[in-house]
PDB file of all heavy atoms in Angstrom:
ATOM      1  N   VAL A 105     -22.229 -12.196   3.736  1.00  0.00           N
ATOM      2  CA  VAL A 105     -22.080 -12.313   5.191  1.00  0.00           C
ATOM      3  C   VAL A 105     -21.856 -13.765   5.591  1.00  0.00           C
ATOM      4  O   VAL A 105     -20.992 -14.057   6.427  1.00  0.00           O
ATOM      5  CB  VAL A 105     -23.296 -11.692   5.915  1.00  0.00           C
ATOM      6  CG1 VAL A 105     -23.211 -11.949   7.404  1.00  0.00           C
ATOM      7  CG2 VAL A 105     -23.362 -10.202   5.640  1.00  0.00           C
ATOM      8  N   VAL A 106     -22.600 -14.688   4.971  1.00  0.00           N
ATOM      9  CA  VAL A 106     -22.415 -16.107   5.306  1.00  0.00           C
ATOM     10  C   VAL A 106     -20.982 -16.541   4.976  1.00  0.00           C
ATOM     11  O   VAL A 106     -20.300 -17.163   5.796  1.00  0.00           O
ATOM     12  CB  VAL A 106     -23.452 -16.985   4.563  1.00  0.00           C
ATOM     13  CG1 VAL A 106     -23.065 -18.454   4.654  1.00  0.00           C
ATOM     14  CG2 VAL A 106     -24.838 -16.748   5.132  1.00  0.00           C
ATOM     15  N   LEU A 107     -20.530 -16.162   3.782  1.00  0.00           N
ATOM     16  CA  LEU A 107     -19.166 -16.541   3.385  1.00  0.00           C
ATOM     17  C   LEU A 107     -18.124 -15.925   4.309  1.00  0.00           C
ATOM     18  O   LEU A 107     -17.188 -16.603   4.754  1.00  0.00           O
ATOM     19  CB  LEU A 107     -18.900 -16.109   1.937  1.00  0.00           C
ATOM     20  CG  LEU A 107     -19.544 -16.962   0.851  1.00  0.00           C
ATOM     21  CD1 LEU A 107     -19.374 -16.305  -0.508  1.00  0.00           C
ATOM     22  CD2 LEU A 107     -18.909 -18.354   0.841  1.00  0.00           C
ATOM     23  N   ILE A 108     -18.307 -14.636   4.611  1.00  0.00           N
ATOM     24  CA  ILE A 108     -17.327 -13.953   5.460  1.00  0.00           C
ATOM     25  C   ILE A 108     -17.275 -14.607   6.835  1.00  0.00           C
ATOM     26  O   ILE A 108     -16.195 -14.910   7.357  1.00  0.00           O
ATOM     27  CB  ILE A 108     -17.691 -12.453   5.614  1.00  0.00           C
ATOM     28  CG1 ILE A 108     -17.494 -11.718   4.294  1.00  0.00           C
ATOM     29  CG2 ILE A 108     -16.834 -11.797   6.699  1.00  0.00           C
ATOM     30  CD1 ILE A 108     -18.117 -10.331   4.268  1.00  0.00           C
ATOM     31  N   MET A 109     -18.444 -14.858   7.428  1.00  0.00           N
ATOM     32  CA  MET A 109     -18.473 -15.427   8.773  1.00  0.00           C
ATOM     33  C   MET A 109     -17.921 -16.857   8.782  1.00  0.00           C
ATOM     34  O   MET A 109     -17.150 -17.224   9.660  1.00  0.00           O
ATOM     35  CB  MET A 109     -19.886 -15.398   9.353  1.00  0.00           C
ATOM     36  CG  MET A 109     -20.414 -14.011   9.679  1.00  0.00           C
ATOM     37  SD  MET A 109     -19.281 -12.968  10.627  1.00  0.00           S
ATOM     38  CE  MET A 109     -19.214 -13.855  12.172  1.00  0.00           C
ATOM     39  N   ALA A 110     -18.330 -17.652   7.803  1.00  0.00           N
ATOM     40  CA  ALA A 110     -17.886 -19.056   7.785  1.00  0.00           C
ATOM     41  C   ALA A 110     -16.383 -19.135   7.562  1.00  0.00           C
ATOM     42  O   ALA A 110     -15.649 -19.762   8.337  1.00  0.00           O
ATOM     43  CB  ALA A 110     -18.641 -19.822   6.708  1.00  0.00           C
ATOM     44  N   ILE A 111     -15.904 -18.471   6.501  1.00  0.00           N
ATOM     45  CA  ILE A 111     -14.474 -18.558   6.190  1.00  0.00           C
ATOM     46  C   ILE A 111     -13.651 -17.877   7.282  1.00  0.00           C
ATOM     47  O   ILE A 111     -12.619 -18.395   7.718  1.00  0.00           O
ATOM     48  CB  ILE A 111     -14.186 -17.932   4.799  1.00  0.00           C
ATOM     49  CG1 ILE A 111     -14.965 -18.695   3.721  1.00  0.00           C
ATOM     50  CG2 ILE A 111     -12.699 -17.952   4.506  1.00  0.00           C
ATOM     51  CD1 ILE A 111     -14.877 -18.080   2.348  1.00  0.00           C
ATOM     52  N   GLY A 112     -14.145 -16.726   7.763  1.00  0.00           N
ATOM     53  CA  GLY A 112     -13.431 -16.002   8.815  1.00  0.00           C
ATOM     54  C   GLY A 112     -13.296 -16.837  10.077  1.00  0.00           C
ATOM     55  O   GLY A 112     -12.230 -16.876  10.699  1.00  0.00           O
ATOM     56  N   THR A 113     -14.378 -17.530  10.447  1.00  0.00           N
ATOM     57  CA  THR A 113     -14.339 -18.372  11.642  1.00  0.00           C
ATOM     58  C   THR A 113     -13.352 -19.518  11.464  1.00  0.00           C
ATOM     59  O   THR A 113     -12.534 -19.802  12.349  1.00  0.00           O
ATOM     60  CB  THR A 113     -15.743 -18.935  11.933  1.00  0.00           C
ATOM     61  OG1 THR A 113     -16.653 -17.836  12.062  1.00  0.00           O
ATOM     62  CG2 THR A 113     -15.756 -19.746  13.202  1.00  0.00           C
ATOM     63  N   LEU A 114     -13.430 -20.163  10.308  1.00  0.00           N
ATOM     64  CA  LEU A 114     -12.522 -21.291  10.067  1.00  0.00           C
ATOM     65  C   LEU A 114     -11.066 -20.835  10.120  1.00  0.00           C
ATOM     66  O   LEU A 114     -10.222 -21.489  10.742  1.00  0.00           O
ATOM     67  CB  LEU A 114     -12.838 -21.942   8.716  1.00  0.00           C
ATOM     68  CG  LEU A 114     -14.121 -22.785   8.687  1.00  0.00           C
ATOM     69  CD1 LEU A 114     -14.436 -23.235   7.273  1.00  0.00           C
ATOM     70  CD2 LEU A 114     -13.984 -23.994   9.619  1.00  0.00           C
ATOM     71  N   ILE A 115     -10.776 -19.699   9.499  1.00  0.00           N
ATOM     72  CA  ILE A 115      -9.384 -19.227   9.491  1.00  0.00           C
ATOM     73  C   ILE A 115      -8.963 -18.774  10.889  1.00  0.00           C
ATOM     74  O   ILE A 115      -7.830 -19.005  11.316  1.00  0.00           O
ATOM     75  CB  ILE A 115      -9.190 -18.112   8.441  1.00  0.00           C
ATOM     76  CG1 ILE A 115      -9.447 -18.671   7.039  1.00  0.00           C
ATOM     77  CG2 ILE A 115      -7.782 -17.530   8.522  1.00  0.00           C
ATOM     78  CD1 ILE A 115      -9.210 -17.702   5.918  1.00  0.00           C
ATOM     79  N   GLY A 116      -9.894 -18.172  11.625  1.00  0.00           N
ATOM     80  CA  GLY A 116      -9.582 -17.775  13.002  1.00  0.00           C
ATOM     81  C   GLY A 116      -9.195 -18.979  13.844  1.00  0.00           C
ATOM     82  O   GLY A 116      -8.233 -18.943  14.618  1.00  0.00           O
ATOM     83  N   MET A 117      -9.963 -20.069  13.678  1.00  0.00           N
ATOM     84  CA  MET A 117      -9.655 -21.272  14.457  1.00  0.00           C
ATOM     85  C   MET A 117      -8.363 -21.924  13.971  1.00  0.00           C
ATOM     86  O   MET A 117      -7.609 -22.490  14.756  1.00  0.00           O
ATOM     87  CB  MET A 117     -10.821 -22.252  14.394  1.00  0.00           C
ATOM     88  CG  MET A 117     -12.058 -21.647  15.038  1.00  0.00           C
ATOM     89  SD  MET A 117     -13.394 -22.762  15.456  1.00  0.00           S
ATOM     90  CE  MET A 117     -13.367 -23.943  14.196  1.00  0.00           C
ATOM     91  N   VAL A 193     -15.352 -10.477   0.285  1.00  0.00           N
ATOM     92  CA  VAL A 193     -15.026 -11.579   1.190  1.00  0.00           C
ATOM     93  C   VAL A 193     -13.525 -11.592   1.470  1.00  0.00           C
ATOM     94  O   VAL A 193     -13.083 -11.697   2.618  1.00  0.00           O
ATOM     95  CB  VAL A 193     -15.498 -12.930   0.607  1.00  0.00           C
ATOM     96  CG1 VAL A 193     -14.948 -14.092   1.417  1.00  0.00           C
ATOM     97  CG2 VAL A 193     -17.012 -12.982   0.568  1.00  0.00           C
ATOM     98  N   TRP A 194     -12.741 -11.432   0.427  1.00  0.00           N
ATOM     99  CA  TRP A 194     -11.286 -11.407   0.560  1.00  0.00           C
ATOM    100  C   TRP A 194     -10.857 -10.294   1.522  1.00  0.00           C
ATOM    101  O   TRP A 194      -9.994 -10.483   2.374  1.00  0.00           O
ATOM    102  CB  TRP A 194     -10.663 -11.195  -0.827  1.00  0.00           C
ATOM    103  CG  TRP A 194      -9.193 -10.932  -0.834  1.00  0.00           C
ATOM    104  CD1 TRP A 194      -8.198 -11.859  -0.730  1.00  0.00           C
ATOM    105  CD2 TRP A 194      -8.545  -9.663  -0.953  1.00  0.00           C
ATOM    106  NE1 TRP A 194      -6.972 -11.230  -0.777  1.00  0.00           N
ATOM    107  CE2 TRP A 194      -7.169  -9.887  -0.913  1.00  0.00           C
ATOM    108  CE3 TRP A 194      -9.025  -8.347  -1.098  1.00  0.00           C
ATOM    109  CZ2 TRP A 194      -6.236  -8.855  -1.007  1.00  0.00           C
ATOM    110  CZ3 TRP A 194      -8.097  -7.323  -1.192  1.00  0.00           C
ATOM    111  CH2 TRP A 194      -6.722  -7.580  -1.150  1.00  0.00           C
ATOM    112  N   VAL A 197     -12.704 -11.039   5.433  1.00  0.00           N
ATOM    113  CA  VAL A 197     -12.370 -12.220   6.232  1.00  0.00           C
ATOM    114  C   VAL A 197     -11.279 -11.930   7.276  1.00  0.00           C
ATOM    115  O   VAL A 197     -11.393 -12.362   8.422  1.00  0.00           O
ATOM    116  CB  VAL A 197     -11.996 -13.402   5.304  1.00  0.00           C
ATOM    117  CG1 VAL A 197     -11.110 -14.409   5.998  1.00  0.00           C
ATOM    118  CG2 VAL A 197     -13.270 -14.058   4.788  1.00  0.00           C
ATOM    119  N   VAL A 200     -12.631 -10.672  10.650  1.00  0.00           N
ATOM    120  CA  VAL A 200     -13.281 -11.708  11.452  1.00  0.00           C
ATOM    121  C   VAL A 200     -12.240 -12.685  12.004  1.00  0.00           C
ATOM    122  O   VAL A 200     -12.218 -12.991  13.195  1.00  0.00           O
ATOM    123  CB  VAL A 200     -14.333 -12.461  10.605  1.00  0.00           C
ATOM    124  CG1 VAL A 200     -15.001 -13.552  11.424  1.00  0.00           C
ATOM    125  CG2 VAL A 200     -15.379 -11.495  10.080  1.00  0.00           C
ATOM    126  N   ALA A 201     -11.354 -13.139  11.124  1.00  0.00           N
ATOM    127  CA  ALA A 201     -10.388 -14.166  11.522  1.00  0.00           C
ATOM    128  C   ALA A 201      -9.458 -13.665  12.624  1.00  0.00           C
ATOM    129  O   ALA A 201      -9.272 -14.335  13.636  1.00  0.00           O
ATOM    130  CB  ALA A 201      -9.579 -14.614  10.306  1.00  0.00           C
TER     131      ALA A 201
ATOM    132  N   LEU B  45      -3.701 -20.568   2.002  1.00  0.00           N
ATOM    133  CA  LEU B  45      -4.453 -19.353   2.305  1.00  0.00           C
ATOM    134  C   LEU B  45      -3.570 -18.109   2.204  1.00  0.00           C
ATOM    135  O   LEU B  45      -3.992 -17.068   1.718  1.00  0.00           O
ATOM    136  CB  LEU B  45      -5.064 -19.449   3.704  1.00  0.00           C
ATOM    137  CG  LEU B  45      -6.258 -20.395   3.830  1.00  0.00           C
ATOM    138  CD1 LEU B  45      -6.586 -20.640   5.293  1.00  0.00           C
ATOM    139  CD2 LEU B  45      -7.469 -19.826   3.107  1.00  0.00           C
ATOM    140  N   PHE B  49      -4.479 -14.952  -0.084  1.00  0.00           N
ATOM    141  CA  PHE B  49      -4.688 -13.601   0.431  1.00  0.00           C
ATOM    142  C   PHE B  49      -3.645 -12.615  -0.065  1.00  0.00           C
ATOM    143  O   PHE B  49      -3.919 -11.446  -0.234  1.00  0.00           O
ATOM    144  CB  PHE B  49      -4.749 -13.609   1.968  1.00  0.00           C
ATOM    145  CG  PHE B  49      -6.119 -13.951   2.469  1.00  0.00           C
ATOM    146  CD1 PHE B  49      -6.479 -15.253   2.740  1.00  0.00           C
ATOM    147  CD2 PHE B  49      -7.077 -12.951   2.610  1.00  0.00           C
ATOM    148  CE1 PHE B  49      -7.754 -15.576   3.163  1.00  0.00           C
ATOM    149  CE2 PHE B  49      -8.357 -13.259   3.035  1.00  0.00           C
ATOM    150  CZ  PHE B  49      -8.701 -14.572   3.311  1.00  0.00           C
TER     151      PHE B  49
END
Side-chain angles (χ1 to χ4, degrees):
Chain A
V105 174
V106 167
L107 284 171
I108 291 167
M109 291 312 294
I111 299 174
T113 304
L114 286 173
I115 296 183
M117 297 196 325
V193 170
W194 171 80
V197 156
V200 179
Chain B
L45 287 168
F49 276 91

